[in-house]
Amino acid sequence: MSGTSMDGVDGIAVEFRAGEAPRVLADAFVGFADGLRAALFALQQPGENEIEREALAASALAARYAVCCHELLRGANIAPTRVRAIGVHGQTVRHRPEKGYTRQINNPALLAEMTHIDVVADFRSRDVAAGGQGAPLVPAFHAQVFGAQDETRVVCNLGGISNITILPPARAQAERREKRADERTDGGAADCQAIRGFDCGPANVLLDEWAQRHLGTPYDEGGRFAASGTVDQSLLNVLLDEPFFEQAPPKSTGRDLFNAQWLDARLAGFEALAPADVQATLAALTAVSVAREIERHAPGCRAVYVCGGGARNPELLKALEHALDRSGVSGVPVMTTDVLGVPPHHVESLAFAWLAMRCVERAAGNLPAVTGAAGERVLGAIYPR
């Protein structure tokens, strides 16, 4: 998995067995060289010679994915012949479901050639073809590993973009299934139709941008930059005055909306603010936008479990807990998915391994109630080794 932060590849080797929790065999991280990262950032906006630049970047990405796969094989001490498939997301450079497309650049054919393992790629386009947002795709997996019998839980991914999955009690899910038994078309995905999930707004995408500008580092280590500043309520109000925050789900977003240009336009008139105060306010923006969505759509939740890169930012977690306390869902604890047995940096890679497994089994991977698609679909395209 390489996400919106575009810092590198998170990989995981995992074994799935029916009725058992996924068994992690190894994990690995392979960073992007500065040249590749710059090429990926450049592809976020229209420019000259895009077709060739995208093709070259896709091949460079495949080479990094291959390195990650070899690291996983070595770490798990397994041969390529034992691997059923590689699930590879690709790098999102445009996400415009309202125009009928989402673009994850990748070269899965090259990856299959390099690894001699079947590759499953292009997970989002089938959902978009069915009228969906193509995102988020992780809620179905979250339901498999994080659901509880008798309480509503929220899983919050703080990656480049923030998103939440609302998991109703499993008992209520079972009752719903009984009531809707005559409408079921596929046991695996139809079980999860009461689950909701959607993007909330920016997270690390803006925090990283500001840290790079003022610290010269790719991110705010430990949230210390934000902790040294003070939230400016006037700027926060301006940032929150974005129509996306008021949209009803299903909804998804990315760098197409929340980018440096978006931020600079809203900073006009706030030039006197200290950079640390802006960073603190951006952290508050992430926290408040997530807390508002939880208050609107999951007021009965008992706990929020955080994953993604933001889970390593204690100041962001504190900001989220503070925002929840100031909303109508006060007293809800915020913790990482570690307490549920899954390290935060494993969650998204695990999800796309699970989606690859579903594709291989020809089982649906999307949740129409989440993405807005016309129905359940098998997600992904297989490139044989």
Side-chain angles (χ1 to χ4, degrees), residues 103-117:
R103 186 71 173 176
Q104 287 73 47
I105 66 171
N106 193 2
N107 191 337
L110 181 58
L111 182 59
E113 190 70 24
M114 289 176 164
T115 59
H116 306 291
I117 299 170

Side-chain angles (χ1 to χ4, degrees), residues 237-307:
N237 291 340
V238 168
L239 297 174
L240 286 167
D241 188 25
E242 161 59 53
F244 177 83
F245 296 126
E246 300 303 320
Q247 286 180 23
K251 62 178 181 177
S252 59
T253 189
R255 287 183 183 272
D256 301 84
L257 174 59
F258 295 110
N259 50 41
Q261 292 76 23
W262 182 91
L263 177 59
D264 288 340
R266 282 148 186 82
L267 285 173
F270 293 93
E271 291 83 2
L273 275 184
D277 293 344
V278 175
Q279 187 77 350
T281 307
L282 291 175
L285 171 66
T286 296
V288 171
S289 58
V290 170
R292 285 183 175 182
E293 297 291 13
I294 292 174
E295 182 179 12
R296 288 168 183 157
H297 301 285
C301 82
R302 301 291 296 277
V304 176
Y305 299 92
V306 179
C307 57

Side-chain angles (χ1 to χ4, degrees), residues 4-6 37 41 160 203-220 225 255 258-264 267 278-279 282:
T4 312
S5 294
M6 296 195 295
R37 197 161 189 260
F41 271 108
N204 295 321
V205 64
L206 297 183
L207 291 167
D208 291 352
E209 165 69 24
W210 200 247
Q212 183 66 56
R213 284 193 203 183
H214 294 279
L215 301 179
T217 60
Y219 58 92
D220 179 10
F225 186 31
R255 287 183 183 272
F258 295 110
N259 50 41
Q261 292 76 23
W262 182 91
L263 177 59
D264 288 340
L267 285 173
V278 175
Q279 187 77 350
L282 291 175

